[in-house]
Amino acid sequence: MSSVKGHSVAQIIADCLRRHGVEVMFSQCLPSALVQAAEDIQIRHFMYRTENAGTAMADGYARTTGKVAVVTAQNGPAAALLVPGLAEALKASVPIVALVQDVNRLETDRNAFQEYDHVTLFQSCTKWVRRVTEPSRVIDYVDMAFATAASGRPGPVALILPADLLIANVDGESPRSASLGRFPLDRTLADPARIEQAAAWLAEARHPVIVAGGGVHLSGACKEVEAVQQDCFIPVMTTVMGKGAVDERSPLSMGVAGYALGKLSPGRYMRPVIDQADVVLLVGTRTNQNGTDSWKLYPHAARYIHIDVDGLEIGRNYEALRLCGDAKLTLQDLHRRLKGRRRSDPSVESQIAGAKAAHARDIAALESSDSAPIRPERLAADIRQVATSDTIMVADASYATLWVACYLTSLNAGMRFITPRGIAGLGWGLPMAIGAKCARPSSPVLCMVGDGGFAHVWSELETAHREGTPIVLTVLNNGCLGYQKDAEDVKFGRHSVKCYFAPVDHAAVARAAGCRGVVVEKAEDYLPALREAIASRETTVIDVITDAEAYPPITFFDGLDGIREGRQPGDGK
């Protein structure tokens, strides 16, 4: 029991944050009373430059630690800049508590400075939003915020705090001692009878496949997926967000599924294994468009089993045997019931090994290419030489996500690959990497971004430098919005000249912010620059001049080369 007699509301909130295990608060300087109260009890104040990026930092922190992250902001325009990052967290099921200052209570609806309807603002991008007006209820609402963020399907919440409320005093006693800051807060087991039915289906299946989504990481269920894979002899594919759920070097690992099955994709060579699947076990996936290649990837005749903590997601796109519950607990029970009922099938392992070998042969020339501008496949091959199972790989949205997902390798069950796949906003790679480094200072954090997305958040290089969170950032500098350009070519047979940028020296931008900056124009120079950057333990931008015609293996782009060949002079740049 802790006493709250004579404390300000800001102090009470700070005490609640500490009780919930909060060690870092991503903020600028507002709400000032709260920031100062948190600093007084040694909660780290991690100062971002923009609220949009600060929310992405909180997101990367939460995904890496398994703890509810906290971000704060001023009312009005600052609060509005939280919306994109909270929307990403909502769709990606990442728990964040946003603490937002509001105008004084007696100034409500009087057109006070930067007054805005924050409750309405946040209703579309959070699980829960409340405005607190009574000092005596603040502990109740802080606990509700953390419980809502961390329970069920995790996600962001917003608590609106009038400025004068924060400096009000509170008398009384708080009997609360529960810590609600880790997720999943409550683990629930799916219906045991249905788990037994799932075990029976998998036991009798000739060609079962597991598809592991991002919920596997959120549940901390990677070891459980691996146990079912290895002990029950079932091949595993992951979604992009699920990448890292298993060791991709395993004979029963098939890489990344979904829309990344275009030409020269490792997963494309696995299509025969997918096509013959008779039972598909979906774990922690929303079965969204990208994860299923527009819902065309998996066989219609297969039977589906779906494990998810959110019952609404089960059966949304594939009618399935419903295992509504926590992935970790449910997989543990499924493993217990299924182990010993399936035998190893050497022909499946041989099929997967053959697919991996065929891909390796076909991609070898690009991975060793010395061409200039540089091929991203070559960069990925070099990153594989320095990455360890402790490395955290982060990618921005757009092409960077696909280069990382397709051509880097998960080295153990639980290796972290962090990408913004909720709503996939450009610019979040760098701040997510900063948040991940804040969460795990001892782990190398390597981040890949395109020049288009990087331009959204250059300012956060200063944040990385000032806060002592050294990351290595590879900028794919192709001078254009690659995804946009290529998508227009596929859809219209041409693209707008406005897909192109003026040249930018990103290494100079880095140096201006106090970081290291290196320009790489020759393929042979990238690996030494990467090793030197990791060894330096300083935030380093490696500005790599890359091929604007290179595109990752997206199924939708399979005909792109032919379209380019038939393009007339003047159709695009």
Side-chain angles (χ1 to χ4, degrees):
M1 183 172 70
S2 60
S3 173
V4 297
K5 187 173 182 179
H7 285 191
S8 72
V9 167
Q11 291 171 316
I12 299 306
I13 294 174
D15 286 339
C16 289
L17 297 181
R18 183 168 59 181
R19 171 164 57 89
H20 295 315
V22 175
E23 297 175 324
V24 179
M25 192 164 68
F26 296 90
S27 60
Q28 274 193 351
C29 300
L30 290 161
S32 299
L34 174 58
V35 169
Q36 292 180 17
E39 286 182 341
D40 288 343
I41 57 173
Q42 284 73 55
I43 294 176
R44 182 179 180 184
H45 174 198
F46 196 105
M47 194 183 85
Y48 55 72
R49 295 296 294 260
T50 67
E51 288 75 14
N52 182 22
T55 315
M57 291 175 198
D59 185 314
Y61 180 89
R63 295 194 204 195
T64 306
T65 59
K67 298 174 65 174
V68 178
V70 175
V71 65
T72 78
Q74 186 180 358
N75 46 295
L81 287 172
L82 295 178
V83 169
L86 294 177
E88 166 69 24
L90 181 67
K91 296 293 282 186
S93 307
V94 179
I96 297 173
V97 172
L99 302 175
V100 181
Q101 182 168 293
D102 202 358
V103 300
N104 293 337
R105 286 167 290 178
L106 292 179
E107 295 173 355
T108 302
D109 290 333
R110 300 187 67 183
N111 292 325
F113 180 62
Q114 294 188 335
E115 181 182 12
Y116 199 75
D117 182 354
H118 297 107
V119 172
T120 300
L121 175 71
F122 291 120
Q123 280 176 337
S124 68
C125 63
T126 63
K127 290 178 65 177
W128 178 94
V129 55
R130 294 292 189 276
R131 185 175 187 266
V132 186
T133 59
E134 298 300 323
S136 63
R137 295 297 311 282
V138 68
I139 294 175
D140 298 342
Y141 278 106
V142 172
D143 280 17
M144 279 191 280
F146 274 83
T148 304
S151 62
R153 177 177 173 179
V157 301
L159 205 57
I160 315 304
L161 305 167
D164 64 320
L165 174 82
L166 291 167
I167 59 175
N169 285 331
V170 179
D171 290 331
E173 299 289 329
S174 170
R176 300 193 179 193
S177 59
S179 180
L180 308 174
R182 286 196 169 270
F183 64 96
L185 182 59
D186 309 301
R187 293 191 184 272
T188 57
L189 181 66
D191 183 340
R194 290 180 180 171
I195 298 175
E196 180 56 40
Q197 180 65 65
W201 282 13
L202 291 166
E204 67 187 31
R206 295 187 60 193
H207 302 292
V209 170
I210 297 171
V211 180
V216 169
H217 290 289
L218 296 170
S219 175
C222 296
K223 293 296 184 183
E224 285 69 25
V225 172
E226 184 180 53
V228 176
Q229 177 193 41
Q230 301 300 329
D231 295 342
C232 306
F233 313 107
I234 303 178
V236 173
M237 293 197 85
T238 75
T239 65
V240 171
M241 283 193 66
K243 187 177 177 70
V246 292
D247 185 335
E248 290 179 329
R249 300 167 300 176
S250 164
L252 287 170
S253 292
M254 299 166 60
V256 173
Y259 71 136
L261 296 180
K263 293 178 180 178
L264 297 181
S265 161
R268 188 183 186 93
Y269 298 76
M270 302 291 175
R271 285 303 295 259
V273 182
I274 301 171
D275 291 342
Q276 70 190 12
D278 54 354
V279 175
V280 178
L281 172 58
L282 304 164
V283 186
T285 171
R286 294 176 294 142
T287 61
N288 64 0
Q289 183 173 17
N290 287 348
T292 60
D293 199 14
S294 297
W295 309 284
K296 297 179 297 186
L297 179 57
Y298 301 110
H300 292 294
R303 292 196 288 188
Y304 290 85
I305 304 163
H306 197 160
I307 301 173
D308 203 283
V309 73
D310 185 351
L312 181 62
E313 295 300 334
I314 300 174
R316 180 192 287 268
N317 294 309
Y318 295 88
E319 186 175 21
L321 178 61
R322 299 176 59 85
L323 299 186
C324 186
D326 173 66
K328 187 181 185 74
L329 289 187
T330 303
L331 284 169
Q332 286 175 350
D333 196 33
L334 179 62
H335 176 262
R336 179 181 63 81
R337 296 170 186 270
L338 184 58
K339 187 177 180 181
R341 296 169 68 178
R342 288 190 54 80
R343 295 181 179 179
S344 173
D345 185 348
S347 67
V348 173
E349 292 189 6
S350 177
Q351 196 174 11
I352 294 172
K356 290 178 178 178
H359 172 258
R361 288 193 302 270
D362 291 349
I363 199 70
L366 287 174
E367 291 190 332
S368 61
S369 172
D370 290 325
S371 65
I374 301 168
R375 293 288 306 193
E377 297 91 341
R378 169 65 186 266
L379 304 179
D382 287 348
I383 292 172
R384 292 202 303 269
Q385 294 192 51
V386 302
T388 69
S389 59
D390 188 46
T391 301
I392 299 174
M393 286 300 318
V394 185
D396 204 357
S398 195
Y399 277 179
T401 288
L402 275 299
W403 296 122
V404 165
C406 291
Y407 297 124
L408 299 186
T409 304
S410 172
L411 302 175
N412 72 333
M415 185 174 174
R416 290 306 279 133
F417 293 82
I418 298 176
T419 56
R421 303 313 302 159
I423 58 172
L426 275 178
W428 292 336
L430 169 59
M432 281 183 165
I434 293 172
K437 186 65 176 180
C438 176
R440 271 178 33 192
S442 62
S443 294
V445 177
L446 309 183
C447 182
M448 180 179 287
V449 302
D451 51 349
F454 183 42
H456 290 226
V457 287
W458 289 341
S459 59
E460 302 303 338
L461 287 172
E462 185 275 334
T463 301
H465 174 66
R466 168 175 35 82
E467 294 288 349
T469 48
I471 62 172
V472 179
L473 191 77
T474 297
V475 179
L476 305 179
N477 185 354
N478 62 7
C480 68
L481 288 169
Y483 207 136
Q484 181 65 29
K485 172 177 72 70
D486 294 339
E488 288 185 19
D489 279 346
V490 171
K491 293 178 181 179
F492 308 114
R494 55 173 293 190
H495 58 263
S496 168
V497 297
K498 295 303 180 181
C499 292
Y500 295 89
F501 308 127
V504 174
D505 185 344
H506 301 101
V509 173
R511 291 191 291 270
C515 304
R516 296 178 72 250
V518 181
V519 177
V520 170
E521 298 182 77
K522 296 180 181 179
E524 64 192 41
D525 294 337
Y526 177 68
L527 183 56
L530 184 60
R531 285 179 167 145
E532 184 177 351
I534 294 170
S536 76
R537 299 188 179 183
E538 296 180 57
T539 292
T540 302
V541 170
I542 307 177
D543 187 16
V544 186
I545 309 305
T546 52
D547 186 354
E549 295 295 280
Y551 60 94
I554 299 169
T555 311
F556 182 60
F557 289 175
D558 271 354
L560 183 55
D561 288 341
I563 292 170
R564 285 174 172 170
E565 290 172 4
R567 194 166 56 204
Q568 298 298 313
D571 291 343
K573 189 170 180 179

